[in-house]
């Protein structure tokens, strides 16, 4: 375990240093956190969970999307466990937004950034969870929430980290054991967007409106527009109409 009172980004530290399989890089304050699609990930000093797990996947043929399913599902299950412990009504309130955002009541509570060091079969699994912060920058206010805001209680960061690492080990084992269908099914059942109308920003920056018909085992999203179904590898679901 590498612990820093303050660091720019736990993923960057893991990227620029040679760390063993299973290492965790944890910080109390991430000053330049990275999100997906070149976004920033902003966390509050001492209030949020920000860390990176270094994971070796021996099998060269394992696609990164399998890790996305396992890690996202592990974060989803962990947040459910914490909410149940705090007597929060989880039914219908917690979900996964393709590909790897965790939402509570449609607001983002956690984000995941997985980067690869392909030459060494290492993956840098960066996870950020909004935990005890109670205010957000204007741009994030409508779209984000925290465990404390949802439960009204201050959440123990150590307990959250221990629970999450337990679940990461449990669900990453599905990938190591090639139980791809099982982990895909668990992940798929936690999605809310299937059969919903959404705005979708594709990789080229085009904003389109359509219905999500499915998300495939290879991670592609299928969107139906005017009766025609198209598949996209990457992009962003903007909002649910
Ligand atoms: C996203 O939703 O865009 C992904 C956010 C990922 C944030 C985490 S916090 C720990 C790790 N270090 C980073 O710089 N980013 C990830």
């Amino acid at each position: 375990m590498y612990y820093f009172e303050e660091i720019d980004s736990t993923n960057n530290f893991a990227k620029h240093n040679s760390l063993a399989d299973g290492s965790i890089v944890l910080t109390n304050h991430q000053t330049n956190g990275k999100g997906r699609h070149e976004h920033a990930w902003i966390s509050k000093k001492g209030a949020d969970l920000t860390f990176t797990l270094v994971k070796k996947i021996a099998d060269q043929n394992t696609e990164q999307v399998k890790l996305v399913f396992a890690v996202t599902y592990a974060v989803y299950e962990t947040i459910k466990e914490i909410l149940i412990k705090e007597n929060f009504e989880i039914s219908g309130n917690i979900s996964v937004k393709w590909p790897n955002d965790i939402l509570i009541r449609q607001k983002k509570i956690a984000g995941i950034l997985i980067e690869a060091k392909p030459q060494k079969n290492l993956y840098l699994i960066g996870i950020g969870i909004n935990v005890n912060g109670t205010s957000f920058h204007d741009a994030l206010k409508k779209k984000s929430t925290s465990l404390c805001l949802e439960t009204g209680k201050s959440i123990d960061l150590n307990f959250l980290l221990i629970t999450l690492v337990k679940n990461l080990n449990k669900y990453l084992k599905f990938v190591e054991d090639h139980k791809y269908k099982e982990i895909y099914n668990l992940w798929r059942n936690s999605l809310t967007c299937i059969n919903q109308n959404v705005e979708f920003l594709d990789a080229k920056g085009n904003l389109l409106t359509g219905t999500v018909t499915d998300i495939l085992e290879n991670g592609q999203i299928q969107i139906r527009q005017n009766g025609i179904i198209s598949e996209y590898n990457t992009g962003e679901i903007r909002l649910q109409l």
Side-chain angles (χ1 to χ4, degrees):
M1 157 92 87
Y2 298 80
Y3 175 77
F4 298 94
E5 243 335 275
E6 189 171 279
I7 198 167
D8 58 343
S9 153
T10 55
N11 265 39
N12 279 353
F13 180 84
K15 192 185 260 179
H16 298 131
N17 293 277
S18 180
L19 307 185
D21 178 29
S23 301
I24 287 178
V25 184
L26 176 69
T27 187
N28 195 37
H29 187 208
Q30 191 170 246
T31 53
N32 196 15
K34 301 186 293 182
R36 294 174 61 242
H37 304 297
E38 318 287 313
H39 291 163
W41 182 260
I42 300 165
S43 345
K44 266 156 231 85
K45 184 175 184 172
D48 294 323
L49 187 64
T50 46
F51 74 99
T52 299
L53 168 68
V54 179
K55 181 76 195 166
K56 189 175 184 97
I57 298 286
D59 183 350
Q60 297 260 9
N61 298 318
T62 304
E63 302 151 57
Q64 190 163 323
V65 67
K66 313 290 197 257
L67 287 184
V68 170
F69 296 153
V71 171
T72 307
Y73 194 71
V75 178
Y76 168 81
E77 277 294 299
T78 301
I79 289 175
K80 257 171 55 180
E81 278 184 44
I82 300 290
L83 292 176
I84 290 169
K85 186 168 166 275
E86 301 300 341
N87 298 319
F88 180 89
E89 175 57 56
I90 57 160
S91 168
N93 282 329
I94 165 157
S95 60
V96 169
K97 181 181 146 204
W98 177 85
N100 54 8
D101 288 347
I102 316 294
L103 309 182
I104 299 184
R105 298 188 303 109
Q106 305 298 340
K107 291 181 169 186
K108 184 158 167 169
I109 186 96
I112 297 162
L113 177 69
I114 302 180
E115 299 182 276
K117 272 187 174 175
Q119 68 282 22
K120 291 186 176 161
N121 294 355
L122 283 182
Y123 290 90
L124 313 177
I125 300 170
I127 300 176
I129 305 183
N130 301 329
V131 186
N132 289 322
T134 50
S135 62
F136 292 96
H137 286 84
D138 282 346
L140 297 177
K141 248 179 206 152
K142 285 203 187 109
K143 298 195 274 187
S144 306
T145 190
S146 72
L147 287 172
C148 179
L149 278 176
E150 294 301 323
T151 60
K153 299 198 187 116
S154 165
I155 304 296
D156 182 342
L157 287 168
N158 288 330
F159 179 75
L160 176 63
L161 177 65
I162 290 166
T163 310
L164 181 48
V165 170
K166 175 198 78 180
N167 280 324
L168 284 166
N169 287 332
K170 176 172 172 186
Y171 294 108
L172 284 167
K173 182 116 191 1
F174 279 66
V175 179
E176 288 168 317
D177 293 348
H178 302 269
K179 291 183 181 162
Y180 299 141
K181 192 85 192 165
E182 285 92 330
I183 193 64
Y184 164 71
N185 285 336
L186 287 171
W187 173 86
R188 191 180 177 284
N189 287 335
S190 65
L191 294 167
T192 47
C193 59
I194 294 178
N195 293 326
Q196 288 207 357
N197 295 327
V198 297
E199 276 188 350
F200 183 74
L201 188 68
D202 74 12
K204 294 184 190 128
N206 304 314
L207 191 63
L208 47 105
T209 313
T211 307
V212 178
T213 51
D214 204 357
I215 310 223
L216 309 178
E217 226 180 302
N218 64 8
Q220 282 183 331
I221 189 166
Q222 281 187 332
I223 299 189
R224 188 178 58 235
Q225 277 185 293
N226 307 322
I228 298 167
I229 295 180
S230 313
E231 283 155 13
Y232 299 87
N233 288 320
T234 173
E236 210 176 321
I237 296 175
R238 268 298 172 85
L239 59 102
Q240 293 175 330
L241 302 172

